[in-house]
C-alpha cells in the first residue's frame, strides 16, 4: 500500500471528491454502511478544525486513492477513531473489494494502537481486534413513508396508535402542529442545545455541550452543506412554539440521528416520538434510504426500527508498550460500562441513581 498522511485541511479537492464518490457508490457497490455521514470527508474536516491531532491517511494504488482512514493521534502515538465519543460510524472508507493490513496501516500512521467504539460492518482487518458487537437500529424509508407507516402499524400497533393520537391532541391543546425538516434558524439550534444540556444534567449524565469542542463541532456542522452532506436540524412546532428538535447529519443515502430533545413542559404529548415519525417522513420525501438511530438499547428505538445494523468496539494494536498500557487502562472501564448497559438488573438501578443525582444538582 502507498499511504500518505495529511491534516484534514491539507486534503486536496480531488481527494475529497474521490472520497465522496466512494461513499456515493457505497450502496450500489454492496457496502451501504460506508454511506454513513459520520464517514464523510466533511465530518472529518469539521473535527479537524475543533480537535488537535486529527489526521487522514490516504491509501493509493497506481496513484489513485482507494481508501481514506480518518483518525486522531496523541503525541505518544495513541490513535482513536476521529470524533470518538460523538461519532456513530467509524472505519476505513474504501473501494469495493479492497483489502488492507491493519498493522501496516497503523505503522504508516505512526500509531501503536487504534481504538474504536462504532466500527461499521465489513472492516475485517479491524474486526479482529473487536471486543464486542452491538446493535444499531435502523428505520428503512427507501420505499416511501406510507409503506413504513403501514409496517409500523403492524409491528407496533399500540405505539403507532398512541403516538399519532398524542400528535392530534398536541394540535388541539397547544396549536397547529408543524414540522420543519430542514430548519435554518440558528436560534432553533440554540434552543435544542439548551434542552439537551438540561436533559443531560437532569438525568445525571455528563453534559456533552459543556465540552467546548463538541459545541463548536455542532455549530460548524450546522453551517456545512454540500451536495452529498449536510448538518440537518429538524423541528416540531405546536403553534409558534418549538416543542421538539433533532440535529443530525445526512449523506446522499442516510440520515444519522444524533442529538434529539424536547421541551419537558410538553412531555405528556411525547413530542420526541412524534418528531421521529415526521423525520422518517421527511427523509423519505428527500429520497434517503434509511435513518440510523445509533447504537444503544432504547424503547423508542425498538418501537421505530425496521431492522438493525451491527457496530463493534475494541482496539487494533501493534507490538508496542504504549499500546499495551492504553489497553490495560481502557479495557476495564469499557467492560464495566457494557456490562451495566447490557443487564437490566444493573442498568435500571444505575439509571435511577443518575437521575437522582441530576435532581440533586438541579436543586443546588
Amino acid at each position: 500500500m502507498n499511504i500518505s498522511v495529511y491534516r484534514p485541511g491539507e486534503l486536496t479537492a480531488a481527494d475529497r471528491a474521490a472520497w465522496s464518490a466512494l461513499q456515493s457508490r457505497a450502496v450500489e457497490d454492496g457496502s451501504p454502511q460506508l454511506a454513513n455521514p459520520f464517514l464523510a470527508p466533511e465530518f472529518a474536516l469539521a473535527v479537524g478544525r475543533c480537535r488537535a491531532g486529527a489526521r487522514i491517511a490516504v491509501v493509493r494504488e497506481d496513484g489513485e486513492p482507494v481508501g481514506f482512514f480518518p483518525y486522531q493521534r496523541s503525541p505518544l502515538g495513541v490513535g482513536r477513531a476521529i470524533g470518538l465519543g460523538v461519532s456513530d460510524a467509524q472505519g476505513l472508507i474504501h473501494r469495493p473489494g479492497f483489502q488492507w493490513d491493519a498493522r501496516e496501516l497503523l505503522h504508516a500512521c505512526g500509531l501503536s494502537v487504534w481504538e474504536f467504539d462504532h466500527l461499521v460492518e465489513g472492516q475485517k482487518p479491524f474486526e479482529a481486534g473487536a471486543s464486542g458487537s452491538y446493535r444499531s437500529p435502523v428505520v428503512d424509508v427507501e420505499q416511501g413513508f406510507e409503506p413504513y407507516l403501514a409496517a409500523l402499524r403492524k409491528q407496533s400497533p399500540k405505539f403507532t396508535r398512541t403516538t399519532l393520537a398524542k400528535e392530534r391532541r398536541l394540535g388541539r391543546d397547544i396549536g397547529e402542529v408543524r414540522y420543519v425538516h430542514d430548519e435554518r434558524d440558528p436560534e432553533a439550534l440554540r434552543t435544542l442545545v439548551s434542552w439537551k444540556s438540561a436533559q443531560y444534567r437532569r438525568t445525571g449524565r455528563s453534559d456533552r455541550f459543556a465540552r467546548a469542542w463538541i459545541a463548536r463541532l455542532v455549530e460548524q456542522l450546522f453551517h456545512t452543506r454540500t451536495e452529498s452532506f449536510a448538518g440537518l436540524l429538524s423541528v416540531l412546532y405546536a403553534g409558534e412554539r418549538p416543542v421538539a428538535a433533532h440535529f443530525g447529519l445526512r449523506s446522499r443515502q442516510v440520515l444519522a440521528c444524533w442529538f434529539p430533545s424536547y421541551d419537558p413542559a410538553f412531555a405528556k404529548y411525547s413530542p420526541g416520538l412524534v418528531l421521529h415519525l415526521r423525520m422518517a417522513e421527511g427523509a423519505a420525501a428527500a429520497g434517503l434510504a434509511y435513518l440510523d438511530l445509533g447504537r444503544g438499547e432504547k424503547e423508542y428505538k425498538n418501537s421505530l426500527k425496521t431492522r438493525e445494523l451491527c457496530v463493534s468496539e475494541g482496539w487494533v494494536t501493534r507490538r508496542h508498550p504504549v499500546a499495551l498500557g492504553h489497553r490495560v487502562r481502557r479495557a476495564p472501564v469499557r467492560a464495566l460500562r457494557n456490562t451495566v448497559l447490557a443487564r437490566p438488573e444493573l442498568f435500571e438501578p444505575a439509571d435511577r441513581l443518575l437521575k437522582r443525582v441530576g435532581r440533586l444538582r438541579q436543586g443546588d
Side-chain angles (χ1 to χ4, degrees):
M1 296 187 293
N2 183 347
I3 304 171
S4 303
V5 175
Y6 304 89
R7 289 179 170 82
E10 298 171 345
L11 207 64
T12 67
D15 281 342
R16 292 197 301 271
W19 185 341
S20 296
L22 287 176
Q23 282 202 292
S24 296
R25 296 196 303 266
V27 173
E28 58 192 73
D29 288 340
S31 302
Q33 66 278 0
L34 296 181
N36 193 292
F38 283 107
L39 296 175
E42 291 87 351
F43 180 73
L45 266 64
V47 174
R49 289 189 287 268
C50 301
R51 297 284 279 169
R55 299 289 186 272
I56 297 167
V58 182
V59 186
R60 292 184 170 85
E61 288 184 348
D62 300 323
E64 296 297 322
V66 296
F68 295 86
F69 178 57
Y71 63 95
Q72 288 175 231
R73 182 185 185 280
S74 77
L76 292 177
V78 171
R80 310 176 81 192
I82 198 161
L84 189 78
V86 294
S87 167
D88 286 349
Q90 300 151 4
L92 184 142
I93 303 87
H94 59 86
R95 185 188 65 193
F98 176 68
Q99 300 293 320
W100 70 95
D101 182 277
R103 288 175 177 80
E104 181 183 348
L105 179 61
L106 262 58
H107 182 268
C109 295
L111 302 178
S112 59
V113 58
W114 181 64
E115 180 180 358
F116 52 86
D117 63 359
H118 284 77
L119 182 72
V120 298
E121 295 175 272
Q123 304 267 310
K124 290 184 178 179
F126 293 148
E127 287 171 355
S131 58
S133 297
Y134 306 90
R135 294 176 292 182
S136 186
V138 161
V139 173
D140 288 296
V141 293
E142 190 170 16
Q143 302 305 314
F145 178 69
E146 290 305 324
Y148 165 67
L149 188 59
L152 193 65
R153 290 183 193 276
K154 183 178 296 186
Q155 167 189 306
S156 307
K158 183 179 179 181
F159 168 84
T160 309
R161 183 173 61 252
T162 302
T163 302
L164 294 176
K166 287 183 176 181
E167 180 179 19
R168 293 191 295 270
R169 184 181 170 196
L170 176 64
R172 289 194 302 268
D173 292 353
I174 308 301
E176 180 184 1
V177 176
R178 179 170 59 93
Y179 171 71
V180 179
H181 187 63
D182 187 7
E183 176 62 82
R184 302 309 302 155
D185 183 358
E187 184 59 34
L189 180 65
R190 286 190 283 272
T191 297
L192 169 60
V193 169
S194 69
W195 286 345
K196 197 67 180 178
S197 290
Q199 178 187 345
Y200 285 136
R201 296 192 300 271
R202 187 170 62 247
T203 56
R205 270 69 173 181
S206 173
D207 180 5
R208 288 184 172 183
F209 289 103
R211 302 171 70 178
W213 77 269
I214 295 178
R216 288 199 310 272
L217 177 64
V218 168
E219 180 76 20
Q220 285 198 24
L221 290 170
F222 174 71
H223 293 289
T224 301
R225 303 179 76 80
T226 67
E227 186 178 350
S228 57
F229 178 96
L232 191 69
L233 175 65
S234 301
V235 183
L236 186 74
Y237 294 90
E240 295 303 314
R241 293 190 61 171
V243 294
H246 167 268
F247 181 73
L249 306 178
R250 70 122 183 102
S251 62
R252 293 181 190 271
Q253 296 93 358
V254 182
L255 171 57
C257 299
W258 204 11
F259 292 111
S261 196
Y262 61 90
D263 186 338
F266 301 94
K268 67 180 181 180
Y269 301 101
S270 299
L273 298 179
V274 175
L275 173 68
H276 276 80
L277 285 181
R278 296 304 147 221
M279 285 164 53
E281 185 176 26
L288 301 185
Y290 65 88
L291 293 77
D292 187 342
L293 298 177
R295 169 185 166 182
E297 291 290 336
K298 298 286 186 181
E299 186 176 352
Y300 81 91
K301 294 182 182 182
N302 289 331
S303 298
L304 290 165
K305 71 181 181 182
T306 54
R307 61 184 173 94
E308 294 170 338
L309 301 174
C310 181
V311 295
S312 303
E313 70 173 38
W315 299 264
V316 179
T317 61
R318 294 167 52 215
R319 292 178 181 271
H320 196 284
V322 170
L324 177 61
H326 180 77
R327 185 160 187 166
V328 166
R329 181 173 61 87
R330 294 282 290 166
V333 176
R334 284 202 176 277
L336 177 61
R337 185 205 63 191
N338 291 330
T339 298
V340 171
L341 290 175
R343 297 176 61 181
E345 69 273 20
L346 296 177
F347 173 76
E348 290 171 8
D351 188 53
R352 287 196 298 270
L353 178 60
L354 285 172
K355 289 177 179 177
R356 184 178 178 186
V357 170
R359 288 194 295 271
L360 291 172
R361 285 177 177 172
Q362 286 184 313
D364 291 341

